């Protein structure tokens, strides 16, 4: 348990006893002066012993107070004070009449104070010292062994020994009873104080723990007051939204998360789970899952600063993974179906193509007949090429894989693309890190970047530029991977088409099969990599291909 520096309780109690002693001495002085002024008939005119006691108490109190900060052994110092106090009380009892004194109550106060300061042991010590001092004083006074000229109040009544014995015994009993009760109450008080102190330390520890959990938890947490103003905002909330706590504090939640809650906290107290698309501070759109929770007991029981608790997570990556899984399931089902269909189509096409070629050799067919046969052959070749591409997409060939230089493979593909008709009027920029080694089918990887370059050229449709960069990057988890960026200055991709560009046969162009990007995605996926795209309509597109380095785990 964390230790907390606490002031010494004995020192504080000693200060309180010194203050009480000073108050009693002042009261003692006032009563003495009052008796002297009034000249009570049964009082002696010599009040100087009273003044002497008050002066001694004042001097001792000052000495005690000055010495307190220098004293190391406070318990011994307290025992000394208790002993001196009992001695002064004995003198006071003597000068106020001895057996007849009304100040025997001061013994009880000394015992009580000692019990409170030193627990039960101190209380019994004071009771014993008081009993001894009072018993000796009464015995000596009863047998006239003490001079009476120092007494301020006294009478000439002779007391019987039985009365004196009862007086002494009753006071002894009172002293020890007070000592026991004071010690018992002090002990219980100390135990309660200790428990409260431990609980207080536990509360501090729990508060620090709660704050640590609040700041370290991966989910964003914010609280809203009754006016739907943000009153707390943890670190995860800052990371998800892009806003700092200083920026959102006491701001309306609708200014930062539009449409999240209703217009009043009371209507928002129903526990709700919802997903919404929000724009973060940097302008990116994030899919956020929110849980709104109200206080137990309803609106009236909700704290002012936490009328509504909002817990939220960034679901953007999760939604993207779900979409990838759905696409993979669709492609798997489509691939299994299409392989059989493609083979069934290819066989008749081969028969048609072979039959037409035989017929072309017949001299009876001339002119238009030959032209029509050429069209049939050309279209069967195109259909056969389409089926070949579709089979590559549906089930990439499992050729022998080996380590190769990815940068060199991309350079070869770029060189072929520069000399192709698609690259006319297009500037090609390239930057590669050397020695990027990956493992896979080099021919298929070249096919990936060829398809992407052709797709970029089609998106430009005229003059423009294509940039290709390859480098080694590191995930936050510590694994390295190859990253290739293919960007173009084309017309960009509409937001409504972003989720379908890797689907087979989907194309926004009036030509082509819609299989280029689907094949690229399929090949990269079969090599343990990933392919992503960032684009906006009218601002080009950036495709990011990640592949595991050789002897490294697959990119997740």
């Amino acid at each position: 348990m964390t230790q907390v520096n606490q002031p010494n309780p004995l020192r504080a109690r000693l200060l309180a006893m010194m203050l009480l002693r000073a108050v009693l001495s002042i009261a003692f002085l006032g009563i003495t002066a009052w008796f002297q002024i009034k000249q009570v008939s049964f009082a002696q005119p010599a009040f100087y012993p009273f003044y002497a006691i008050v002066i001694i108490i004042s001097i001792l109190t000052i000495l005690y107070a000055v010495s307190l900060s220098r004293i190391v052994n406070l318990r011994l110092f307290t025992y000394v004070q208790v002993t001196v106090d009992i001695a002064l009380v004995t003198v006071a009892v003597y000068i106020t009449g001895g057996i007849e004194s009304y100040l025997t109550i001061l013994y009880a106060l000394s015992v009580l104070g000692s019990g409170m300061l030193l627990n039960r042991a101190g209380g019994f010590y004071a009771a014993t010292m008081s009993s001894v001092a009072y018993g000796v004083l009464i015995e000596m006074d009863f047998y006239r062994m003490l001079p009476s000229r120092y007494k301020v109040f006294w009478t000439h009544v002779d007391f019987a020994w039985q009365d004196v014995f009862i007086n002494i015994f009753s006071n002894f009993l009172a002293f020890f009873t007070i000592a026991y009760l004071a010690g018992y109450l002090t002990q219980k008080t100390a135990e309660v104080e200790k428990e409260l102190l431990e609980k207080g330390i536990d509360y501090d520890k729990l508060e620090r723990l709660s704050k640590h959990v609040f700041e370290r938890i991966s989910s964003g947490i914010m609280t809203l007051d009754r006016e739907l103003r943000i009153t707390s905002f943890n670190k995860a909330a800052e990371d998800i939204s892009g806003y700092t706590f200083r920026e959102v504090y006491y701001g309306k939640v609708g200014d930062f998360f539009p449409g999240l809650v209703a217009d009043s906290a009371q209507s928002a107290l129903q526990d709700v789970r919802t997903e919404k698309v929000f724009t973060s501070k940097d302008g990116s759109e994030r899919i956020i899952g929110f849980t709104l929770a109200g206080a137990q007991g309803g609106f009236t029981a909700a704290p002012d600063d936490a009328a509504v608790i909002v817990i939220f997570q960034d679901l953007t990556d999760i939604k993207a993974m779900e979409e990838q899984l759905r696409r993979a399931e669709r492609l798997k089902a489509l691939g299994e179906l299409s392989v059989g269909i493609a083979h069934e189509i290819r066989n008749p096409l081969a028969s048609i193509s072979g039959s037409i070629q035989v017929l072309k050799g017949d001299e009876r067919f001339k002119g238009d007949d030959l032209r029509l046969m050429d069209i049939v052959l050309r279209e069967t070749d195109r259909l056969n090429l389409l089926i070949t591409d579709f089979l590559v997409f549906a089930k990439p060939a499992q050729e022998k894989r080996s380590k190769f230089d990815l940068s060199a493979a991309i350079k070869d593909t770029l060189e072929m693309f520069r000399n192709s008709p698609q690259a006319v009027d297009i500037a090609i920029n390239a930057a590669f890190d050397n020695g990027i080694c990956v493992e896979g089918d080099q021919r298929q990887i070249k096919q990936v970047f060829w398809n992407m370059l052709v797709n970029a050229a089609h998106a430009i449709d005229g003059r423009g530029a294509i940039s290709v960069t390859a480098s080694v990057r590191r995930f936050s988890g510590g694994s390295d991977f190859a990253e290739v960026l293919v960007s173009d200055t084309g017309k960009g991709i509409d937001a409504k088409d972003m989720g379908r560009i890797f689907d087979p046969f989907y194309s926004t162009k009036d030509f082509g099969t819609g299989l280029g990007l689907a094949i690229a995605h399929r090949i990269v996926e079969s090599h343990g990599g990933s392919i992503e795209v960032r684009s906006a309509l009218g601002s080009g597109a950036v495709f990011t291909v990640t592949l595991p380095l050789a002897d490294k785990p697959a990119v997740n």
Side-chain angles (χ1 to χ4, degrees):
M1 183 176 293
T2 306
Q3 297 295 325
V4 180
N5 294 327
Q6 298 290 337
N8 193 321
L10 182 56
R11 190 182 300 274
R13 291 171 183 171
L14 273 175
L15 288 173
M17 188 178 76
M18 293 177 191
L19 180 61
L20 178 62
R21 185 186 295 116
V23 171
L24 289 176
S25 64
I26 293 173
F28 203 43
L29 178 63
I31 294 172
T32 303
W34 183 82
F35 273 116
Q36 189 171 19
I37 292 171
K38 293 296 183 178
Q39 289 293 314
V40 178
S41 58
F42 59 83
Q44 299 296 325
F47 283 86
Y48 300 111
F50 270 140
Y51 297 133
I53 291 176
V54 172
I55 292 172
I56 292 172
I57 292 174
S58 301
I59 293 173
L60 288 174
T61 301
I62 294 172
L63 291 175
Y64 292 155
V66 172
S67 305
L68 183 61
S69 60
R70 300 181 178 87
I71 297 299
V72 177
N73 193 337
L74 288 178
R75 290 188 65 84
L76 179 60
F77 185 55
T78 306
Y79 275 111
V80 171
Q81 289 194 44
V82 170
T83 305
V84 172
D85 288 347
I86 291 173
L88 291 174
V89 169
T90 303
V91 174
V93 170
Y94 165 65
I95 66 175
T96 55
I99 298 175
E100 308 170 74
S101 176
Y102 56 87
L103 292 183
T104 54
I105 191 174
L106 294 178
Y107 283 116
L109 292 178
S110 297
V111 174
L112 180 62
S114 181
M116 295 176 63
L117 291 170
L118 300 168
N119 299 328
R120 187 174 298 174
F124 282 122
Y125 170 80
T128 302
M129 293 297 296
S130 298
S131 299
V132 172
Y134 185 68
V136 171
L137 173 65
I138 297 304
E139 287 289 333
M140 295 178 69
D141 189 37
F142 178 76
Y143 290 109
R144 301 288 192 266
M145 298 174 64
L146 297 175
S148 60
R149 65 178 178 273
Y150 296 109
K151 290 185 178 181
V152 178
F153 303 114
W154 66 290
T155 61
H156 296 284
V157 177
D158 291 330
F159 292 94
W161 166 247
Q162 294 84 352
D163 296 334
V164 174
F165 177 78
I166 292 174
N167 185 341
I168 294 174
F169 179 77
S170 61
N171 279 287
F172 284 4
L173 184 61
F175 296 159
F176 281 95
T177 301
I178 293 172
Y180 174 79
L181 294 175
Y184 176 79
L185 293 175
T186 303
Q187 181 180 354
K188 289 299 181 182
T189 302
E191 291 175 357
V192 171
E193 288 178 351
K194 183 179 179 181
E195 290 179 0
L196 291 176
L197 179 62
E198 291 176 350
K199 288 183 178 179
I201 295 173
D202 288 341
Y203 287 142
D204 292 340
K205 184 178 179 180
L206 287 174
E207 183 178 357
R208 290 192 298 272
L209 179 61
S210 298
K211 184 176 181 181
H212 177 77
V213 172
F214 181 76
E215 291 298 331
R216 295 289 181 178
I217 194 170
S218 60
S219 297
I221 301 176
M222 64 177 171
T223 56
L224 312 177
D225 63 9
R226 297 175 186 271
E227 302 299 325
L228 296 182
R229 293 172 297 198
I230 299 174
T231 55
S232 66
F233 207 67
N234 71 343
K235 181 66 169 56
E238 294 180 345
D239 295 338
I240 294 172
S241 66
Y243 295 101
T244 64
F245 179 50
R246 184 182 296 274
E247 291 173 323
V248 302
Y249 181 64
Y250 243 53
K252 286 285 189 178
V253 67
D255 296 339
F256 304 98
F257 302 96
L260 174 60
V261 297
D263 296 332
S264 66
Q266 189 166 5
S267 60
L269 282 178
Q270 300 293 330
D271 291 352
V272 176
R273 172 70 184 178
T274 184
E275 295 179 3
K276 292 181 179 294
V277 178
F278 286 98
T279 303
S280 62
K281 185 180 178 181
D282 61 6
S284 61
E285 289 189 344
R286 315 295 294 177
I287 302 174
I288 309 296
F290 288 91
T291 300
L292 278 66
Q296 293 184 354
F299 181 74
T300 56
D304 291 339
D305 291 338
V308 181
I309 301 173
V310 183
I311 303 172
F312 56 98
Q313 300 88 24
D314 187 353
L315 304 179
T316 307
D317 294 338
I318 295 177
K319 292 296 182 182
M321 292 175 61
E322 290 177 352
E323 179 59 29
Q324 290 180 0
L325 290 174
R326 285 193 292 268
R327 181 185 295 117
E329 289 296 327
R330 292 198 303 268
L331 295 182
K332 180 181 178 181
L334 183 59
E336 293 174 352
L337 176 64
S338 59
V339 169
I341 296 177
H343 282 294
E344 292 300 325
I345 295 175
R346 174 172 280 181
N347 291 334
L349 283 178
S351 300
I352 294 172
S353 177
S355 300
I356 294 298
Q357 289 177 7
V358 171
L359 290 175
K360 282 185 66 177
D362 192 335
E363 296 180 356
R364 292 178 298 172
F365 296 102
K366 297 179 181 180
D368 291 338
D369 295 332
L370 293 176
R371 184 175 59 81
L372 291 174
M373 291 181 185
D374 289 337
I375 293 174
V376 172
L377 289 175
R378 186 173 63 250
E379 290 302 315
T380 54
D381 289 340
R382 189 179 69 83
L383 285 174
N384 191 52
L385 181 61
L386 175 61
I387 292 173
T388 300
D389 288 343
F390 186 68
L391 288 175
V392 171
F393 159 74
K395 190 175 182 180
Q398 298 296 322
E399 298 185 12
K400 184 177 180 181
R401 297 186 178 186
S402 61
K403 297 179 184 179
F404 65 92
D405 189 334
L406 179 63
S407 299
I410 298 175
K411 288 178 183 178
D412 291 345
T413 305
L414 282 174
E415 189 63 29
M416 289 188 295
F417 181 74
R418 283 191 179 98
N419 298 316
S420 68
Q422 292 94 332
V424 176
D425 296 330
I426 295 177
I428 300 175
N429 304 310
F432 305 105
D433 289 348
N434 293 323
I436 304 177
C437 185
V438 298
E439 185 172 0
D441 183 349
Q442 186 172 352
R443 185 189 64 80
Q444 289 184 352
I445 295 298
K446 287 183 177 181
Q447 180 70 47
V448 168
F449 294 107
W450 175 267
N451 290 0
M452 295 178 69
L453 291 170
V454 171
N455 182 79
H458 291 166
I460 292 173
D461 194 20
R463 292 185 178 275
I466 297 175
S467 298
V468 182
T469 63
S471 60
V472 175
R473 301 293 297 274
R474 171 163 292 183
F475 277 133
S476 58
S479 58
D480 296 333
F481 61 96
E483 181 181 78
V484 182
L485 302 181
V486 180
S487 58
D488 62 67
T489 58
K491 59 184 178 181
I493 304 171
D494 197 342
K496 64 182 178 62
D497 298 323
M498 289 287 287
R500 301 185 61 190
I501 59 173
F502 295 115
D503 289 348
F505 304 111
Y506 182 80
S507 176
T508 58
K509 302 183 291 289
D510 295 333
F511 55 90
T513 61
L515 284 172
L517 290 180
I519 291 173
H521 183 277
R522 184 71 166 167
I523 293 174
V524 170
E525 188 181 63
S526 68
H527 280 73
S530 66
I531 180 170
E532 298 176 353
V533 61
R534 301 192 310 274
S535 179
L537 199 60
S539 60
V542 179
F543 286 83
T544 303
V545 178
T546 56
L547 291 169
L549 296 178
D551 300 325
K552 297 290 182 180
V555 177
N556 210 354

